[in-house]
């Protein structure tokens, strides 16, 4: 039985107040992570009490001014320079700890801002991460080439539980491949993390005005823990991965694909350890004789 109805959220179907996308633990079966996306007109504001979650503020388009009152009442301010779009390269981000009051105000142009969240056991200090501090990794090769911007992984950002990054997949390529999972705790081999995929898709330059920018995402399980998702996704859509093998994420010819990943789980150790589907893991060995797609990095630098 297809599980799209349970785990796929098309743009606008989860709207909540100022947020056009709002994924929280109000979703049945969802526990650890959250994602909110707000599109703001110039100088418009949105506010959030982080409650029991830590949050990474990620400009998807445009920039914003942040004002934060943390759990001890201390105030922090930062200006996120942002970027023209998710395809224009890495952005600066801000980390906001649990128990904070966050106010975001767009600048003199419209802005689209994502708030990536995860339940946290302890409050940690506010931090502004410059775009130049975000490592850009070129992963895979050939038609499996993709660009990973690691702004919220353990090696880059000090946090309690959240792991977050964004991935660019050029038109015609596959990413999140080979299919992999991270749904059980196995010492040194795998960590239990639920995951949110938020998508944006664009047509390549020269496409006609009626082009339908679309991509695809696959999630599948085991006999013991079945899940069956095959989703056609467009800008603003979300796929939730509670468990199971996930991938590929497919960018059809003509359409570049972006996705934002938010992960967290119940384990005591904040680590992103994955296990390939043994039926497909062999594909990694074929990359040794292939070049990385020359279209990458897209808007960034190696």
């Amino acid at each position: 039985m297809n599980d799209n109805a349970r785990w796929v959220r098309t743009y606008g179907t989860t709207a909540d107040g100022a947020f056009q996308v709002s994924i929280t633990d109000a979703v049945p079966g969802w526990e650890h992570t959250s994602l909110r996306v707000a599109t703001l007109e110039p100088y418009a504001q949105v506010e959030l009490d982080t409650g029991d979650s830590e949050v990474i503020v990620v400009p998807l388009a445009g920039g914003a001014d942040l004002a934060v009152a943390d759990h001890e009442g201390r105030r922090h301010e930062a200006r996120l320079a942002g970027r023209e779009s998710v395809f224009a390269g890495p952005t600066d981000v801000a980390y906001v700890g649990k128990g904070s009051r966050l106010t975001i105000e767009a600048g003199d142009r419209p802005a689209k801002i994502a708030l990536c969240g995860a339940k946290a056991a302890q409050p940690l200090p506010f931090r502004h991460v410059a775009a130049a501090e975000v490592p850009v990794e070129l992963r895979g090769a050939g038609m499996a080439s993709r660009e990973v911007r690691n702004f919220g992984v353990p090696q880059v950002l000090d946090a309690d539980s959240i792991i977050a990054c964004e991935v660019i997949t050029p038109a015609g390529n596959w990413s999140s491949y080979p299919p992999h999972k991270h749904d059980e705790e196995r010492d040194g081999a795998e960590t239990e993390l639920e995951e949110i995929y938020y998508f944006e898709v664009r047509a390549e330059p020269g496409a006609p005005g009626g082009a339908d920018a679309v991509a695809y995402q696959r999630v599948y399980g085991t006999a013991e823990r079945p899940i069956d998702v095959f989703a056609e996704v467009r800008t603003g859509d979300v796929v939730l991965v509670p468990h199971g093998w996930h991938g590929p994420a497919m960018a059809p010819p003509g359409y570049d694909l972006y996705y934002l990943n938010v992960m967290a789980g119940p384990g005591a150790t904040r680590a992103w350890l994955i296990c390939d589907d043994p039926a497909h893991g062999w594909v990694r060995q074929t990359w040794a004789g292939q070049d990385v797609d020359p279209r990458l990095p897209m808007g960034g630098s190696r």
Side-chain angles (χ1 to χ4, degrees):
M1 180 178 177
N2 187 278
D3 288 316
N4 282 23
R6 182 174 185 187
W7 301 117
V8 179
R9 300 291 190 273
T10 55
Y11 179 73
T13 59
T14 63
D16 181 16
F19 298 103
Q20 291 77 44
V21 176
S22 180
I23 303 294
T24 70
D25 58 7
V27 175
W30 208 247
E31 299 181 55
H32 305 287
T33 56
S34 62
L35 176 70
R36 297 172 174 89
V37 178
T39 300
L40 303 175
E41 294 300 316
Y43 305 110
Q45 290 187 348
V46 65
E47 296 183 336
L48 180 72
D49 287 318
T50 63
D52 61 358
S53 293
E54 57 189 353
V55 168
I56 304 176
V57 183
V58 182
L60 302 175
D65 291 321
L66 306 185
V68 176
D70 68 18
H71 70 288
E72 294 182 338
R74 294 171 298 193
R75 290 190 59 82
H76 309 271
E77 295 183 352
R79 172 162 292 179
L80 295 181
R83 53 192 166 180
E84 181 179 350
S85 78
V86 295
F87 298 100
T91 182
D92 53 344
V93 303
Y95 172 87
V96 180
K98 66 178 291 188
S100 300
R101 179 69 174 176
L102 168 64
T103 302
I104 303 170
E105 180 176 314
D108 59 1
R109 54 178 175 153
K112 186 191 296 185
I113 309 295
L115 305 180
C116 309
K119 299 292 179 62
Q122 60 179 329
L124 294 175
F126 176 85
R127 181 180 171 193
H128 179 201
V129 180
E133 297 179 72
V134 176
V136 176
E137 173 189 0
L138 300 186
R139 190 176 296 173
M143 293 177 62
S145 300
R146 58 275 205 184
E147 172 186 346
V148 185
R149 301 167 184 161
N150 288 309
F151 62 82
V153 301
Q155 299 86 348
V156 175
L157 180 70
D158 184 23
D160 183 86
S161 64
I162 194 169
I163 299 172
C165 66
E166 53 188 13
V167 180
I168 298 290
T169 309
N173 285 9
W174 287 24
S175 60
S176 286
Y177 195 76
H180 59 278
K181 72 179 184 71
H182 38 71
D183 60 9
E184 58 182 314
E185 291 289 333
R186 295 188 297 125
D187 189 29
E190 186 177 352
T191 45
E192 182 180 354
L193 303 167
E194 66 181 20
E195 183 167 11
I196 299 172
Y197 277 72
Y198 165 86
F199 297 93
E200 297 206 2
V201 193
R202 72 169 184 183
E204 289 187 303
D212 180 16
V214 65
Y216 298 88
Q217 173 72 32
R218 180 76 170 116
V219 184
Y220 59 98
T222 62
E224 297 75 21
R225 301 185 73 188
I227 185 172
D228 181 11
V229 172
F230 185 62
E232 184 176 271
V233 295
R234 293 172 173 81
T235 292
D237 292 351
V238 171
V239 172
L240 304 178
V241 184
H243 59 85
W245 310 106
H246 42 289
M250 294 162 273
Y255 304 110
D256 296 322
L257 172 63
Y258 162 94
Y259 52 86
L260 173 64
N261 287 142
V262 186
M263 293 169 277
T269 302
R270 179 177 172 243
W272 183 11
L273 301 178
I274 69 169
C275 173
D276 285 341
D277 183 340
H280 302 293
W282 66 269
V283 172
R284 290 188 186 273
Q285 309 309 313
T286 68
W287 297 343
Q290 301 180 57
D291 294 329
V292 174
D293 192 312
R295 292 173 291 180
L296 296 174
M298 195 173 290
S301 59
R302 297 193 186 194

